[in-house]
Every structure is written in structure tokens, then in C-alpha cells.
């Protein structure tokens, strides 16, 4: 389990804290929404797919922790080649993903796409208010600052070892998120107001090929603007997600190359099945 990380370093400035309790849940083909229509705030219009199925969108809240976390885990395991390279299993990610979900849902930026009582898609977005940006992402840029340069360790082993609990895949993912996030502040534009940070997007396989990911992403970005955000960031670790970010016009602030991700002298990401070569920290302007 992942507890509060007390270790600090010049690369990350401390790890994030996540709550740990994870209820057991049998995996199903669909993740089923047990809540009644009207319990959540609906957002946007009902979206009708080419085959006639209708998708309604609702804003997830704290009562949806299990629903969102299980979708988060399922999507990450299915679509992320670095997890396959580490032979990661659901139990490796449970504490980390549940903790992130509990931390993110209260900001109100996560959308669920529901077909009847089935979760067809979701987009998890964290809103970070301007007065919390430095706490979350390190010192902000100032007028006249030189062009920022990311700092990476030559070997990530010490950082991974410093995460006191959790499986090896969970500790690796924690470091991979923390190293870029803790340096984001100096890359943010001077006109930043509030930041939306996209943590995950996933479309159930039986709803793919309907541009549903594009639709829910656009809808969530509209919601972010309404919540005072003028930029959106994300970290893409898979080749497909990096291509989507590029297609949307996001700027790559910097990359963490997989061919330089050494752990105690061993390169752990080689010849990934999707051809991914780096994780990217991306930023887009919201209109």
C-alpha cells in the first residue's frame, strides 16, 4: 500500500500522498453504474452514436470513487505498454489509482459517459487553482526567467526505492508521474489562471470507433473553461495518447525518454509493443 511519502529529492521535491483502502471488486465486461439517474449533475446534451445508442454525460463526485477507479485501472492496464513491460496486474495498481481518484474527484472535473447503466467512457480531470499551482507543480516561471530545462536523474533506482510501500510497478508509475509534475511550474505560461490536468481518458471497447473519446474530451475542456481554467496539461505515456495530444495541438513541454530510464543500471522499457519511446508532458490552451 502507498502511504505518505516522506522522502524528498532535488528532482521531485517530495512525493504525493494517497489514501490506501481498496475494496475488492470482481472485474466485469462492463463497469455498471448503480446510482439512479438524477443523483449526479448532468452536463451537456445526450450524444447519439451512429448506431443509435445514446450517451448521457454526468459529473462524477466522491461517491463514484469505486466506479471511476476501476475504469481508471482497467484502461491503464489495457492500453499502457509500460505496464505490460513490467507485467503489472490489477493488484499492483489498486492503491495508487484509488488514491489518485479520491484526490481528484472533489475538484469536479471528471465526466462519465453512460449508456443506460453502463460506463461507456470517462475523462478524469483535476482542477488546480492558481494559488495551489506552486504547491502542486513547483515554482512558477517569472518574467525574464531563462528558458526552463527539465532535470532528470541518470538512474531512477534511488527515487523508486524511496517510495516506501507498494509493488514495483506502482512505485515506478509514482516516480514517473512525480518527476515531471514537480517541474511543471517553471514551464507554465505567465498568463496561467487555473490549470486543468487530464489524468486519464478511456472508452470501453464496445463503444470505440465512434469518436466518443474526442467528444468527451471536448466536453470536459468546455467544463474546465467554465471552471476558470485557461490551460490544460497531461502526461502521455503511450504512443496513441501522445498522438492524440499532438493532433489536438498540445505543445510538448518536455519528454522523459524510455531509453534513459535506468533502474539500478538496468533499462526496463525496451521495444514496447506500441512503439512508445518516451512519456511526454503536454500543455494546451483552452479557448
Amino acid at each position: 500500500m502507498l502511504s505518505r511519502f516522506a522522502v524528498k529529492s532535488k528532482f521531485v521535491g517530495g512525493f504525493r500522498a494517497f489514501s490506501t483502502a481498496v475494496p475488492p471488486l470482481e472485474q466485469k465486461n462492463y463497469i455498471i453504474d448503480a446510482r439512479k439517474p438524477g443523483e449526479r449533475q448532468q452536463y451537456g446534451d445526450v450524444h447519439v452514436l451512429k448506431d443509435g445508442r445514446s450517451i448521457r454525460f454526468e459529473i462524477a463526485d466522491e461517491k463514484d470513487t469505486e466506479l471511476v477507479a476501476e475504469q481508471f485501472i482497467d484502461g491503464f492496464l489495457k492500453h499502457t505498454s509500460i505496464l505490460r513491460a513490467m507485467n503489472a496486474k490489477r493488484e499492483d495498481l489498486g492503491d495508487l489509482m484509488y488514491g489518485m481518484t479520491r484526490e481528484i474527484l472533489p475538484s469536479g472535473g471528471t465526466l462519465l459517459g453512460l449508456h443506460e447503466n453502463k460506463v461507456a467512457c470517462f475523462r478524469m480531470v483535476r482542477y488546480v487553482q492558481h494559488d495551489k499551482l506552486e504547491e502542486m507543480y513547483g515554482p512558477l516561471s517569472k518574467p525574464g526567467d531563462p528558458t526552463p530545462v527539465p532535470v532528470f536523474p541518470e538512474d531512477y533506482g534511488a527515487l523508486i526505492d524511496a517510495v516506501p510501500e507498494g509493488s514495483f510497478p506502482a512505485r515506478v508509475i509514482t516516480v514517473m508521474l512525480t518527476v515531471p509534475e514537480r517541474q511543471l511550474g517553471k514551464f507554465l505560461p505567465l498568463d496561467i489562471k487555473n490549470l486543468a490536468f487530464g489524468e486519464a481518458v478511456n472508452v470501453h471497447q464496445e463503444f470505440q470507433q465512434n469518436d466518443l473519446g474526442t467528444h468527451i474530451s471536448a466536453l470536459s475542456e468546455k467544463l474546465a473553461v467554465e471552471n476558470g481554467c485557461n490551460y490544460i496539461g497531461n502526461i502521455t505515456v503511450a504512443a496513441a495518447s501522445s498522438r492524440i495530444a499532438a493532433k489536438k495541438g498540445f505543445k510538448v513541454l518536455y519528454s522523459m525518454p524510455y531509453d534513459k530510464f535506468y533502474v539500478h543500471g538496468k533499462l526496463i522499457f525496451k521495444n514496447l509493443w506500441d512503439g512508445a519511446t518516451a512519456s511526454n508532458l503536454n500543455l494546451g490552451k483552452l479557448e
Side-chain angles (χ1 to χ4, degrees):
M1 296 185 295
L2 299 174
S3 60
R4 181 170 293 278
F5 306 137
V7 180
K8 295 182 181 292
S9 81
K10 67 178 180 179
F11 298 106
V12 297
F15 296 105
R16 290 184 294 175
F18 296 115
S19 177
T20 60
V22 179
L25 182 68
E26 181 183 354
Q27 287 288 80
K28 302 178 178 67
N29 182 38
Y30 278 104
I31 295 176
I32 302 299
D33 177 24
R35 298 177 68 180
K36 297 178 181 178
E39 286 189 33
R40 301 185 195 90
Q41 178 183 344
Q42 293 199 26
Y43 187 74
D45 296 327
V46 171
H47 182 60
V48 180
L49 304 180
K50 291 177 291 186
D51 59 13
R53 289 179 295 178
S54 61
I55 310 294
R56 69 183 188 279
F57 298 94
E58 299 181 357
I59 300 174
D61 58 36
E62 292 91 329
K63 293 180 181 179
D64 295 310
T65 296
E66 183 176 309
L67 189 75
V68 174
E70 289 297 327
Q71 186 84 341
F72 194 6
I73 294 167
D74 183 65
F76 231 63
L77 283 174
K78 286 180 178 176
H79 304 300
T80 308
S81 57
I82 60 173
L83 289 176
R84 188 179 299 183
M86 294 187 287
N87 296 312
K89 305 292 190 297
R90 183 202 173 277
E91 52 269 26
D92 292 317
L93 302 180
D95 291 332
L96 177 61
M97 299 306 195
Y98 267 78
M100 290 181 67
T101 303
R102 291 189 185 96
E103 183 185 84
I104 293 164
L105 287 183
S107 74
T110 297
L111 283 179
L112 299 171
L114 300 162
H115 172 64
E116 298 172 346
N117 66 340
K118 302 178 178 70
V119 179
C121 59
F122 88 116
R123 176 86 187 275
M124 182 188 290
V125 176
R126 173 203 309 269
Y127 297 151
V128 184
Q129 303 304 308
H130 191 277
D131 62 355
K132 297 293 184 182
L133 288 173
E134 189 162 339
E135 176 185 331
M136 186 76 183
Y137 301 119
L140 302 182
S141 60
K142 300 179 179 61
D145 282 354
T147 302
V149 178
V151 179
F152 299 118
E154 292 184 2
D155 191 299
Y156 290 81
L159 291 180
I160 292 168
D161 292 344
V163 183
E165 298 178 16
S167 67
F168 178 73
R171 288 184 286 123
V172 169
I173 294 298
T174 299
V175 168
M176 291 187 73
L177 294 177
T178 306
V179 167
E181 282 185 2
R182 290 300 297 167
Q183 301 181 68
L184 173 57
K186 61 188 179 184
F187 288 88
L188 291 174
L190 296 176
D191 65 341
I192 183 80
K193 295 177 182 177
N194 305 316
L195 179 70
F197 201 90
E199 302 284 355
V201 60
N202 188 40
V203 177
H204 189 279
Q205 61 186 17
E206 293 190 17
F207 288 89
Q208 293 176 5
Q209 310 303 319
N210 285 284
D211 291 327
L212 195 50
T214 300
H215 186 84
I216 194 171
S217 294
L219 204 60
S220 72
E221 289 168 18
K222 180 175 181 288
L223 181 62
V225 171
E226 293 172 4
N227 280 273
C229 300
N230 63 335
Y231 285 92
I232 183 167
N234 66 8
I235 296 175
T236 52
V237 299
S241 54
S242 292
R243 286 194 297 269
I244 291 170
K247 186 177 179 180
K248 288 174 63 64
F250 283 20
K251 176 184 178 182
V252 178
L253 298 180
Y254 57 87
S255 299
M256 183 187 294
Y258 292 145
D259 63 359
K260 294 183 179 178
F261 198 93
Y262 287 91
V263 179
H264 298 304
K266 181 180 179 181
L267 197 61
I268 62 174
F269 301 130
K270 295 184 290 186
N271 301 318
L272 297 176
W273 65 265
D274 65 344
T277 58
S279 66
N280 295 324
L281 180 61
N282 311 288
L283 189 71
K285 182 73 183 289
L286 292 173
E287 303 297 340

